[in-house]
Amino acid sequence: MANVTISTGVRANLISLQQTANMMSETQNRLATGKKVNSALDNPNSFFTAAGLNDRASDLSTLLDDMGQAVQTLKAADEGIKSITSLVEAAKAKANQAAQSSSNTDRAKFAGEYNELLTQIQGIAKDSGYKGKNLLDGDSLSVTFNEKVGTEKNSLSISGVSYAADGALSLTEVADGGWDTGDTGDAAIEDTLSSLTNALTSLRTQASTFGTNLTVVENRQNFTKNMINTLQEGADSLVNADSNEEGAKLLALQTRQSLASTALSLASQAEQNVLRLF
């Protein structure tokens, strides 16, 4: 079949229409996806840089979840220490009541209540875990703050205590008749009061340590949240499209397409006018 010859004017208008159609398709794709860089073909540098930023943000997001769980574990331990401190203070009150009493019956009653408080202290310590991790029952906790490994890894190791074990706070139950009136009983009460004072000091020191650890983890948690936002904003600035700009561009292209179609029609009519001469 013989080739159809197209005039220069018609060919120029066809090329213009094709280019406009391609540009409209690209603009419509940007508006549909919200991105000006959808693949490495659009802009390799921006595409791979944004991918790297998003990958790091994703890694930090995983660590952020772990930090959140670590915060809850520390809060559970802190609540446990607060409750144990209240029980130790109640136990100290029982020992003081026994010291002020001259009745063996009353002292035996106070000793029984004291022993029950010690049992509850162990119970609270055993129940202060979170998701299988209990800092008051000898478990330790390690929190990772960045996605790096080796010497560049940043983490915090938190050591637990064993308040759930017998005598962990150097507190022992009172044997039958251990607090009876007399020099031996009075001395035993004084020893108990001394042990309770030491236990309270230990509890307050441990609470301060856990509080410091909690502050560190929460600060790193907030820092990581802000870092993730920074990384994502940086990635978005490289690949996201400006919807206002793309919308205006599409409107201009539609106008250009309409004008090109009109020009093509006029060029065709010019050729038809030449035919009429024959």
Side-chain angles (χ1 to χ4, degrees), residues 62-168:
T62 301
L63 294 176
L64 186 62
D65 293 338
D66 293 338
M67 290 180 216
Q69 296 305 301
V71 167
Q72 297 307 118
T73 302
L74 283 164
K75 285 183 176 180
D78 183 62
E79 290 298 324
I81 287 181
K82 288 178 181 177
S83 297
I84 291 173
T85 299
S86 296
L87 291 178
V88 171
E89 289 173 345
K92 190 174 183 178
K94 294 300 176 183
N96 280 321
Q97 286 179 307
Q100 295 168 6
S101 175
S102 58
S103 169
N104 285 338
T105 301
D106 288 343
R107 285 194 172 192
K109 175 177 174 293
F110 295 140
E113 292 172 348
Y114 172 86
N115 290 340
E116 178 59 30
L117 288 170
L118 294 191
T119 300
Q120 293 303 317
I121 287 172
Q122 289 182 317
I124 287 177
K126 291 178 180 178
D127 293 337
S128 296
Y130 178 82
K131 289 185 66 176
K133 185 76 69 172
N134 192 341
L135 294 174
L136 301 187
D137 196 17
D139 293 337
S140 296
L141 181 66
S142 180
V143 191
T144 302
F145 296 134
N146 64 8
E147 76 284 8
K148 299 179 181 179
V149 296
T151 57
E152 295 184 344
K153 180 179 179 180
N154 194 326
S155 62
L156 175 67
S157 296
I158 302 170
S159 299
V161 291
S162 300
Y163 290 161
D166 290 336

Side-chain angles (χ1 to χ4, degrees), residues 27 55 74 105 125 132 146 178-179 183 189 212 225 240 275-276:
T27 302
D55 287 344
L74 283 164
T105 301
N146 64 8
W179 281 0
D183 292 341
I189 293 174
T212 300
K225 288 179 181 178
N240 282 3
L275 289 175
R276 292 193 185 97

